[in-house]
Amino acid sequence: MASFDNAYSRFVALARIVLPLAALGILSTLFLVSRGPDPGDDLRQSRDTVAEIAREQRIGAPEFATVTADGTAVALSAETVRPDAAYPGQATADILHLRLDMAGGARADLRAARGALDMAAGQTVMEGGVRIESSAGYRLEAARVTAAMDQTDILAEGPVTGEGPAGRITAGQLQLTADPQAAGRYLLVFKDGVKLVYEPGR
């Protein structure tokens, strides 16, 4: 009886190894037969993508939304974000879009090729040719924009160039903040060597 038990145990142990291997072999044959030539392309590409994401700790298409203390709804999205392993709470990002829906009904959209997120400091830095559009009729470009995430405070550093309701504008800086004297109102201030080319009838 003991001999039978030992033989049965060996059979079960062998079956646990052989049967899964046989199943893998059958599945591999099915994939090879069902697919056209060069069947490993998609699998290799998938493995490469997974390996790259794992290596870079990349996050695809993240979105972040909040409401500032002065009532502005902030929505931030990116094509990819890579957390900084050395500095928790910080990350770099590609293709950023920042949207501000302000309490008074005004809106601003900012887009940039790249940027950096600092959750500890509560701010986002956008670089690589930042494009700014507002519902007030401004279409501007800046070299760099720093945006607070807990309050309405956008600082664009220059040169800042573009068009507004009155004409073409050039400045060293542009700042958008909540008006401390009136809730629901906001101040858009151009600074440092401001030039306005007035264009009547705009």
Side-chain angles (χ1 to χ4, degrees):
M1 190 67 174
S3 176
F4 173 78
D5 290 341
N6 289 337
Y8 179 74
S9 298
R10 286 195 297 271
F11 171 76
V12 171
L14 184 62
R16 287 178 176 173
I17 297 173
V18 173
L19 290 178
L21 290 176
L24 286 175
I26 293 170
L27 286 173
S28 299
T29 304
L30 288 174
F31 281 118
L32 287 172
V33 171
S34 63
R35 296 185 55 168
D38 208 4
D41 284 350
D42 289 344
L43 182 59
R44 281 194 293 270
Q45 290 175 2
S46 297
R47 286 175 177 170
D48 291 344
T49 301
V50 171
E52 183 181 355
I53 291 174
R55 182 172 59 253
E56 296 186 357
Q57 299 182 21
R58 187 175 64 187
I59 303 170
E63 296 181 357
F64 172 79
T66 187
V67 177
T68 66
D70 52 273
T72 295
V74 179
L76 175 66
S77 61
E79 185 174 287
T80 55
V81 169
R82 293 176 297 280
D84 190 331
Y87 299 95
Q90 297 185 18
T92 56
D94 296 319
I95 317 299
L96 281 82
H97 177 207
L98 178 65
R99 178 178 174 128
L100 306 176
D101 288 296
M102 287 161 266
R107 187 187 72 253
D109 282 282
L110 296 86
R111 299 177 187 273
R114 63 182 182 275
L117 314 178
D118 189 338
M119 294 305 173
Q123 69 179 23
T124 299
V125 177
M126 306 175 75
E127 296 178 311
V130 186
R131 301 185 66 180
I132 306 167
E133 294 187 8
S134 80
S135 57
Y138 290 95
R139 294 183 298 277
L140 307 165
E141 291 190 6
R144 174 187 172 97
V145 168
T146 303
M149 304 303 288
D150 58 350
Q151 59 182 324
T152 304
D153 189 354
I154 305 293
L155 177 63
E157 298 176 275
V160 178
T161 60
E163 300 177 348
R168 294 196 57 80
I169 302 171
T170 302
Q173 286 187 344
L174 162 68
Q175 189 163 23
L176 172 65
T177 59
D179 187 344
Q181 305 298 324
R185 292 182 57 185
Y186 299 86
L187 302 175
L188 183 66
V189 181
F190 292 89
K191 306 176 182 179
D192 297 342
V194 181
K195 294 182 181 179
L196 171 63
V197 179
Y198 178 63
E199 297 178 4
R202 287 186 60 86

